Amino acid sequence: MCGIFGVITNQDNISLGNVVLEGIKRLEYRGYDSCGVVSLSNSKLYIKKDSGKIEEIQKRIDLAEIPNNSKLALAHTRWATHGKPTRINSHPHSDCSNKIAVVHNGIIENFIELRKALSERGHIFKSDTDTEVIPHLIEIKMKEGLDFKESVVETLKLLTGAYALAVCHVDYPDSIIVARKESPLVIGIIEGKTTYCASDIPAFLPLTRKCYIMDDDELAILKAGEVEFINLKTNEKIEKELKTIDWSIDAAEKGGYEHFMLKEIYEEPTAMKRTMKISKDLLRIFANILWSAENIYITAAGTSFYASLAGKFIISRFLGKYIQAIECSEFQTQLFNSLKNESVIIAVSQSGETIDTIEAIRWAKSKRNVKILTITNVVGSSLTRYSDHVIVTQAGPEIGVAATKTYNTQVLTLALIAIEIAKLRKIELESEIEKYEKALEETPQIIENFLKNNVDSIKDVVNTLEKSVNFFILARGISIATAKEGGLKLKEVACRFIEGYSAAHAKHGPISLVREGFPIIFIAPPDETYQRLIGNVMEFKARGGKIISLVVENDKYISDLSNISIRIPQPGNKYYNIFSPITFTPALQLLAYYAALLHGLDPDKPLNLSKTVTVH
Ligand code: BG6
């Protein structure tokens, strides 16, 4: 997830450099590993770009310093998905003639074949990015005699994937051409004077509250204070509604949500759809290595550890081998002299900077000949330097300190690997594997439906819990991982001591805490543990426990035993149950979020916590 921003004006009294720098700074929450600006003057491109956060880059080069007579500028703040966060990979990217510059947010899925064909025609590439193919394709179309707009239109037909892009051309200093497909793009306007394009409204909100929201398969030609929209499917001009935004700047950065944590929970379907596009070849590399491994470990911290617990359960089911999960901080102590040679270690870390996870991997590599498979959300993070293979989840930057969307994309990634293992091992009939694969593909939609229709039951639960300081989240099987993650969320943001625990194991001690009205949340997908779980529910109900259950839409037995049920809109069969940590956890994330609000806490700034712990 990156941020793009553009401005074109006929006003002489504005400092265009500062406008474009302030605009891209307001999008830095969308990506902050590199940044660049391009402006046009005297039929030339002026590109300034570098890696690092904007304030770091500003110390080295002044991004706002652009030619005085420039009336057009584009800017980009990057969250690397293809190619490390280096200067040469930062945007804008240009063509061979250095006449065309492009900034882009999204993923061009067919960039490898496009790049190969362009190289065979003599085009020279400077970066490792998918984006760089775009200016070169436009260059070819213009050499074939098409004008600027038609060249962009024809180029877009060659791209598969997602894009929000802005293009400028030195021979068309009065225009910016933008287009949108799956990645957000909005147009701000001061009619007759200045027009802005941006990935998100905050970029221009201090300058204008008038804006157009672009839709997929739309292109726009921006001139100073005016804009023309084209439907790319019909190639016809379209009229769009001019909206007035009444958000505050702060609310705009959160997309109108009150907190980043809530925004990021609602981003989960999109983040997961992006993650579903991870290269199958890379998933198969992970699958092959796991298939041929004797000893497999998975290690992580915090939420990533609970994602690992869920993911290892799913992989083990299809792999037929046990995977040992060890908290990263305990890895060396636990494995002291028993780490086997040729072991495979899966390291899971959203930031890729958690020192305990890095240390565990470094220790293992120093002791034995091991293979490190890393799943992280940050391209080029420290952990990746110690890894043999890396999968980058496509969650985009996560600003909320408590992990939410990154948990879902981590478990999804581990589940995608499990499906590839199933295909390799052919343990099930192909038709069976296809049913699992289809169920996994539906998980983003299941979450989207839940977030759209079932949230009220969460608030009801929060209101009933208000007076209960502590309670349990109990489960069996794979749902113990879900229960533990739910307990962590409530500890982190709601400052409640909530224990995610094995429902069966709770009979050995913890059940002694239960009094009349003591709440217990049961995670109850109808999997192979469901029948035994009914017994656990009844044990706690018999002692006065208030039963709250997370169940599938058509659940009968446990919901009948419950005081309140939260229903997850998914089919109740094995193909979906195995992925329930992905689809049930958003309910617990929201529960923690609303519990935090009830107690007057800021979910984005949990007490005593930081987004990444780089100390032992
Ligand atoms: C903690 C964060 O500091 O680190 C958690 O507050 C996170 O949200 C944990 O799950 C692990 O971080 P990472 O980046 O290694 O997944």
Side-chain angles (χ1 to χ4, degrees), residues 300-306 328 348-355 357 375-378 383 398 400-404 406 410 485 488-489 492 606 608-614:
T303 289
S304 297
F305 183 68
Y306 295 134
C328 53
V348 181
S349 174
Q350 185 285 126
S351 63
E353 301 300 340
T354 295
I355 192 70
T357 309
I375 295 171
T376 184
N377 194 40
V378 182
L383 183 60
E398 187 171 64
V401 170
T404 50
T406 54
Q410 286 170 343
E485 173 53 18
L488 178 62
K489 282 288 144 304
E492 285 175 318
N608 311 326
L609 295 184
S610 66
K611 187 61 187 167
T612 304
V613 175
T614 54

Side-chain angles (χ1 to χ4, degrees), residues 261 462 490 493-495 591-603:
M261 182 179 174
V462 168
L490 278 147
V493 298
C495 288
L591 188 69
Y593 174 78
Y594 287 112
L597 299 189
L598 197 67
H599 294 277
L601 299 168
D602 180 346

Side-chain angles (χ1 to χ4, degrees), residues 130-406:
D130 53 331
T131 302
E132 196 181 356
V133 300
I134 300 172
H136 290 278
L137 290 169
I138 296 170
E139 176 189 10
I140 287 176
K141 293 299 175 190
M142 294 198 77
K143 280 185 176 157
E144 289 169 2
L146 296 179
D147 68 19
F148 184 25
K149 179 216 140 193
E150 282 312 313
S151 298
V152 175
V153 169
E154 289 308 307
T155 293
L156 295 175
K157 291 176 184 170
L158 302 174
L159 307 180
T160 57
Y163 54 76
L165 57 86
V167 193
C168 63
H169 190 299
V170 295
D171 297 340
Y172 295 78
D174 63 346
S175 305
I176 296 173
I177 294 183
V178 302
R180 175 204 155 135
K181 186 172 189 306
E182 294 182 19
S183 294
L185 192 58
V186 290
I187 308 295
I189 192 161
I190 303 172
E191 283 168 310
K193 294 179 178 175
T194 304
T195 311
Y196 308 94
C197 60
S199 297
D200 205 350
I201 288 166
F204 51 69
L205 197 56
L207 305 164
T208 179
R209 289 185 174 275
K210 299 286 185 192
C211 86
Y212 298 95
I213 311 289
M214 288 192 71
D215 293 306
D216 282 351
D217 299 313
E218 289 183 352
L219 175 141
I221 301 152
L222 278 55
K223 295 188 185 293
E226 57 183 86
V227 56
E228 181 185 300
F229 294 102
I230 308 282
N231 178 321
L232 285 168
K233 285 187 171 156
T234 61
N235 209 19
E236 288 168 358
K237 283 185 188 172
I238 49 176
E239 293 302 317
K240 288 186 73 72
E241 181 197 351
L242 181 59
K243 297 178 184 290
T244 302
I245 302 298
D246 55 9
W247 288 339
S248 68
I249 305 286
D250 181 59
E253 272 195 4
K254 293 166 188 144
Y257 291 98
E258 196 179 345
H259 297 96
F260 278 113
M261 182 179 174
L262 190 61
K263 175 172 183 266
E264 285 155 3
I265 291 169
Y266 278 79
E267 276 179 355
E268 284 170 5
T270 309
M272 287 166 63
K273 285 173 191 163
R274 282 203 301 265
T275 302
M276 290 270 191
K277 294 177 177 171
I278 287 173
S279 123
K280 286 280 187 287
D281 291 344
L282 189 49
L283 292 168
R284 287 186 196 114
I285 289 171
F286 274 58
N288 273 302
I289 290 171
L290 291 169
W291 186 20
S292 49
E294 279 309 309
N295 299 288
I296 307 170
Y297 304 92
I298 190 165
T299 190
T303 289
S304 297
F305 183 68
Y306 295 134
S308 302
L309 290 183
K312 83 168 184 95
F313 190 104
I314 300 169
I315 291 176
S316 295
R317 278 292 163 98
F318 292 103
L319 180 60
K321 291 175 193 166
Y322 187 70
I323 296 175
Q324 191 170 345
I326 304 175
E327 285 100 337
C328 53
S329 51
E330 296 304 312
F331 199 78
Q332 297 180 42
T333 312
Q334 294 281 337
L335 289 174
F336 190 61
N337 58 1
S338 59
L339 177 63
K340 299 269 188 305
N341 225 9
E342 309 302 322
S343 291
V344 172
I345 303 169
I346 305 170
V348 181
S349 174
Q350 185 285 126
S351 63
E353 301 300 340
T354 295
I355 192 70
D356 286 339
T357 309
I358 293 169
E359 188 118 305
I361 296 308
R362 277 205 312 226
W363 171 80
K365 288 171 76 80
S366 71
K367 285 287 179 196
R368 292 281 186 273
N369 179 26
V370 294
K371 260 211 188 339
I372 308 300
L373 304 178
T374 288
I375 295 171
T376 184
N377 194 40
V378 182
V379 173
S381 54
S382 303
L383 183 60
T384 61
R385 290 178 217 134
Y386 302 96
S387 308
D388 294 284
H389 300 283
V390 177
I391 289 181
V392 180
T393 54
Q394 300 296 317
E398 187 171 64
I399 311 301
V401 170
T404 50
K405 62 177 180 174
T406 54

